[in-house]
């Protein structure tokens, strides 16, 4: 959709296990993936088999196979999407479900290119048709009564859940898919699935994810929203919380309603905003570490009780048997062949793990929504998506770092009174601050000891990371008193430095370093603007910056030089800071003349301008480090780099900013000439 939307991480994917594993054995051998008779060809061939069970098993095999990234080009070459598409409308419900599961995994693992290709290959036609059939099937009475009716409804809901996930993935990656969503009236269908939340929260959650995506910057869709649609959303927001799954559902619906704020009558704005932020506040209030430990203990107790019960039953069945009884021949049991449904191919549900995962996902989502609340929707919001993309570290924060007026990473809104009041009334800043702490060591230890629970460690770290990004937005937006006053900001600065220096190898964790350096940059900017003394020493900052400048992430390097610029400009107004200013100046000068990115070079030059713009200590330091001669020598090099590299790597807006830096460099050199003449006269 638009540039200000948050970019989700990959969700748990459809991953069949069981009887179909034998057919996937060849897929584990990477050397066979390139052979013409490899697993992809065999499985795709079986999609046309007359037996529904064979087609189902082939779909399940493909669902597993597509999670191996190297096989994706081969599947594309063999036209897997066009072969799977018709199976979405297969006469067998089991085949429909597994085909949708395979497409769900393909769209989740393949990313933007694969999803766009799926739209090109017209996957939306059978997908929309399937969604319509499922919607009609939920109301159908044309099935046998009692248990068959219930089983039919369950199967239809399972198919709908897989199909909605495919729709969500594709719409998030393709504007054409969103246009088709609008044109085909899919909103009403997805809302119907959302309305099933009292009886099927999993289906409702999938629908809520999809709605949060398609309602973002989609004015055409917003025009079609009816009062009944808003009523469904309101009902879901008011749903009683009987499990963490409902906590996640309400959080996602709150994000959807925030996307709709522009069509909500002004008289209802305050109430709606308050309801949204109340939900987010309640989610963040929960101690996720304690819940994780509690759920793991509950799982352990459940498994222990089940084992004891099974042992008791075995003992009870053995009591009273005589030798004659044991010798007596028992009639052979007739083996009843049971039809295999897709649920048989999935691992057993671990309710405790699901609960813990749902809470962590809800907290992550809540923090992302708060960032959207705090950030404008202008083009500079590309940096939020870059911040969330760990795979692209080369161009992150480019526009933000070269922006005029100090280059804030996230552009703050002039919030309405209602939003501003709700943020503070529900203590959102304090709760975000709390989430920036390292995850509970006890919870991490519990999860690390169990392979099934170990992925939660990363999810806990992700919540911390999102909180750091969110903190940066709040610090840039709210007044000091709403953040707890000067003492709170000083404590926060100390807290951020503790986070950094408690991990000696923090430079290896690019995502973490990028988030925390962004938060620290915004905090120091606010403290400097309000003349609040900083608690990090120059030596601590230099340790951070020397590590950070080695990062491959442009965003980290930009933050590092900006932090030094802020700190140096504060030190320049103080007495006795000569040596620190010289150290900072030499560091920034080296970055400006040696960094390969013009983005970082421009930020380093801006930082030098700030540090040595005024103050007797700064003037003496600039002369002693021979700043003037170094900048004079670098000036023609900088001009040449802009001319040779600019048009190929940077946008017109970025080039405009770089040209402004070039102009400021010329003026700063002239200023330094007068300083040097005065001090050396």
């Amino acid at each position: 959709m638009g540039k200000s939307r948050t970019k989700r991480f990959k969700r748990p994917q459809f991953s069949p296990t069981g009887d179909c594993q034998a057919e996937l054995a060849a897929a584990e051998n990477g050397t066979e993936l390139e052979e013409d008779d490899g697993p992809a060809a065999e499985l795709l061939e079986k999609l046309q088999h007359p037996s529904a069970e064979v087609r189902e098993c082939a779909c399940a095999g493909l669902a597993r196979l597509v999670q191996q990234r190297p096989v994706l080009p081969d599947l594309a070459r063999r036209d897997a999407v066009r072969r799977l598409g018709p199976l979405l409308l297969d006469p067998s419900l089991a085949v429909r479900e597994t085909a949708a599961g395979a497409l769900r995994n393909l769209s989740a693992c393949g990313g933007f290119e694969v999803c766009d290709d799926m739209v090109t290959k017209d996957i939306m036609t059978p997908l929309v048709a399937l969604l319509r059939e499922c919607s009609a099937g939920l109301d159908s009475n044309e099935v046998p009564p009692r248990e068959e009716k219930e089983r039919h409804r369950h199967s239809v809901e399972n198919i709908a859940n897989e199909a909605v996930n495919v729709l969500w993935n594709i719409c998030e990656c393709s504007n054409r898919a969103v246009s088709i969503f609008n044109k085909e009236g899919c909103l009403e269908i997805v809302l119907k699935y959302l309305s099933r939340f009292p009886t099927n929260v999993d289906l409702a959650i999938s629908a809520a994810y999809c709605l949060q995506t398609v309602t973002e910057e989609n004015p055409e869709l917003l025009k079609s929203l009816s009062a009944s649609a808003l009523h469904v959303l309101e009902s879901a927001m008011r749903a009683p919380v009987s499990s963490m799954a409902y906590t996640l559902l309400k959080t996602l619906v709150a994000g959807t309603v925030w996307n709709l704020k522009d069509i909500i009558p002004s008289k209802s704005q305050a109430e709606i905003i308050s309801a949204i932020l109340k939900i987010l506040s309640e989610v963040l209030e929960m101690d996720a570490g304690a819940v994780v430990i509690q759920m793991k203990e509950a799982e352990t107790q459940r498994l222990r009780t089940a084992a004891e019960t099974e042992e008791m039953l075995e003992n009870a069945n053995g009591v009273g048997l005589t030798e004659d009884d044991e010798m007596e021949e028992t009639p052979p049991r007739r083996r009843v062949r049971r039809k295999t449904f897709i649920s048989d191919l999935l691992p057993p549900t671990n309710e405790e793990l699901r609960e813990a995962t749902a809470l962590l996902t809800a907290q992550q989502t809540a923090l992302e929504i708060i960032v959207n609340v705090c950030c404008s929707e202008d083009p500079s919001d590309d940096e939020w998506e870059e911040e969330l993309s760990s795979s692209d570290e080369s161009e992150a924060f480019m526009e933000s770092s070269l922006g005029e007026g100090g280059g804030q990473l996230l552009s703050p809104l002039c919030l309405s009174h209602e939003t501003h009041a709700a943020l503070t009334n529900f203590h959102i800043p304090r709760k975000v601050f709390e989430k920036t702490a390292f995850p509970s060591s006890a919870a991490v230890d519990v999860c690390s000891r169990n392979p099934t629970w170990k992925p939660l460690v990363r999810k806990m770290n992700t919540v911390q990371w999102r909180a750091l990004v969110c903190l940066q937005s709040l610090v840039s937006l709210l007044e000091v008193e709403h953040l707890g006053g000067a003492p709170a900001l000083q404590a926060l600065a100390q807290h951020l430095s503790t986070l950094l220096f408690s991990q000696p190898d923090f430079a290896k964790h690019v995502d973490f370093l990028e988030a925390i350096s962004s938060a620290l940059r915004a905090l120091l900017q606010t403290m400097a603007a309000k003349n609040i003394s900083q608690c990090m020493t120059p030596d601590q900052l230099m340790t951070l910056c020397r590590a950070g400048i080695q990062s491959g992430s442009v965003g980290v390097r930009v933050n590092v030089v900006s932090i030094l610029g802020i700190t140096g400009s504060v030190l320049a107004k103080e007495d006795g800071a000569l040596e620190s200013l010289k150290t900072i100046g030499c560091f920034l000068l080296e970055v400006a003349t040696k960094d390969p990115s013009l983005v970082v070079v421009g930020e380093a030059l801006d930082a030098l301008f700030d540090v040595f713009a005024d103050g007797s200590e700064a003037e003496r330091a600039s002369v002693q480090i021979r700043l003037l001669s170094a900048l004079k020598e670098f000036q023609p090099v900088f001009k040449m780099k802009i001319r040779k590299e600019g048009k190929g790597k940077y946008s017109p807006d970025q080039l405009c900013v770089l040209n402004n830096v070039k102009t400021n460099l010329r003026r700063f050199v002239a200023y330094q000439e007068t300083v040097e003449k005065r001090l050396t006269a």
Side-chain angles (χ1 to χ4, degrees), residues 230-370:
L230 294 174
H231 178 70
V232 172
L233 294 170
E234 181 182 0
S235 298
M237 282 182 66
R238 297 179 183 275
V241 177
S242 56
S243 68
M244 294 302 174
Y246 282 95
T247 298
L248 173 58
L249 174 66
K250 293 179 68 169
T251 305
L252 291 167
V253 175
T256 300
V257 174
W258 174 260
N259 292 339
L260 307 178
K261 62 186 181 302
D262 291 340
I263 66 168
I264 295 173
S266 57
K267 63 180 181 181
S268 303
Q269 286 273 346
E271 181 183 359
I272 294 297
I273 290 171
S274 180
I276 292 171
L277 291 176
K278 183 175 185 291
I279 289 173
L280 304 185
S281 174
E282 290 172 350
V283 171
L284 295 178
E285 185 70 35
M286 298 183 193
D287 185 341
V291 171
V292 167
I293 295 171
Q294 178 186 350
M295 290 296 105
K296 186 65 183 72
E297 291 174 347
E299 180 199 53
T300 302
Q301 182 60 43
R302 175 175 58 81
L303 295 176
R304 183 185 299 118
T305 302
E308 292 172 353
T309 302
E310 183 178 358
E311 183 179 356
M312 290 174 59
L313 290 174
E314 289 177 354
N315 293 336
N317 290 335
V319 172
L321 283 177
T322 65
E323 183 176 348
D324 291 338
D325 293 330
E326 293 174 356
M327 295 292 291
E328 183 178 347
E329 182 178 353
T330 58
R333 293 177 57 192
R334 182 169 175 236
R335 185 173 181 270
V336 179
R337 190 173 183 278
R338 179 173 66 88
K339 178 170 178 57
T340 300
F341 287 88
I342 194 61
S343 58
D344 301 319
L345 302 176
L346 293 170
T349 299
N350 182 332
E351 189 59 36
E352 296 86 4
L353 180 59
R354 284 165 53 89
E355 285 283 281
T357 301
L359 174 58
L360 290 170
T361 305
Q363 292 191 340
Q364 173 185 327
T365 304
L367 292 164
E368 292 171 359
I369 295 170
I370 293 170

Side-chain angles (χ1 to χ4, degrees), residues 587-618:
F587 181 91
L588 292 173
L589 193 55
E590 183 177 9
V591 173
T593 55
K594 294 183 178 180
D595 198 280
S597 169
L598 284 178
V599 177
V600 182
V601 170
E603 190 73 30
L605 289 171
D606 272 338
L608 283 168
F609 304 158
D610 291 339
V611 174
F612 297 100
D614 192 19
S616 59
E617 294 276 78

Side-chain angles (χ1 to χ4, degrees), residues 495-504 506 512-513 516 520 544:
H495 167 67
L496 294 178
S497 64
T498 301
L499 289 180
L500 281 173
F501 296 111
S502 60
Q503 287 194 351
F506 64 83
F512 176 75
L513 185 55
I516 199 168
L520 186 58
L544 160 67

Side-chain angles (χ1 to χ4, degrees), residues 54-204:
V54 173
R55 296 196 302 275
E56 179 187 359
C57 196
C59 290
L62 287 169
R64 176 68 178 271
L65 189 63
V66 298
Q67 297 180 64
Q68 303 175 34
R69 189 167 295 275
V71 84
L72 294 179
D74 186 46
L75 289 170
R77 181 170 60 84
R78 297 178 185 279
D79 220 7
V81 172
R82 290 191 191 277
R83 296 193 188 191
L84 281 166
L87 297 185
L88 292 175
L89 302 173
D90 193 274
S92 165
L93 294 183
V95 173
R96 291 186 179 196
E97 185 177 346
T98 45
L103 289 166
R104 172 182 177 178
N105 270 13
L106 180 62
S107 58
C109 298
F112 286 87
E113 290 185 6
V114 169
C115 287
D116 200 55
D117 183 61
M118 291 173 73
V119 178
T120 300
K121 292 179 177 176
D122 198 28
I123 195 61
M124 292 294 287
T125 296
L127 180 60
V128 171
L130 175 62
L131 289 165
R132 286 196 174 116
E133 284 197 20
C134 289
S135 177
L138 293 177
D139 299 327
S140 175
N141 293 316
E142 298 178 4
V143 290
R146 299 191 183 99
E147 69 275 359
E148 282 299 318
K149 180 176 181 179
E150 181 63 24
R151 188 162 192 170
H152 174 82
R153 181 190 62 79
H154 182 70
S155 297
V156 170
E157 289 185 345
N158 286 345
I159 297 168
N161 190 32
E162 296 294 340
V164 171
N165 273 278
V166 178
L167 181 66
W168 166 31
N169 292 344
I170 296 176
C171 286
E172 192 165 50
C173 297
S174 170
N175 286 329
R176 289 187 297 158
V178 174
S179 297
I180 295 171
F181 182 100
N182 295 342
K183 181 180 177 182
E184 296 294 331
C186 294
L187 176 63
E188 183 179 348
I189 299 172
V190 178
L191 281 168
K192 183 175 182 178
Y193 295 152
L194 176 65
S195 69
R196 309 289 291 193
F197 69 85
T199 56
N200 192 332
V201 69
D202 290 336
L203 176 59

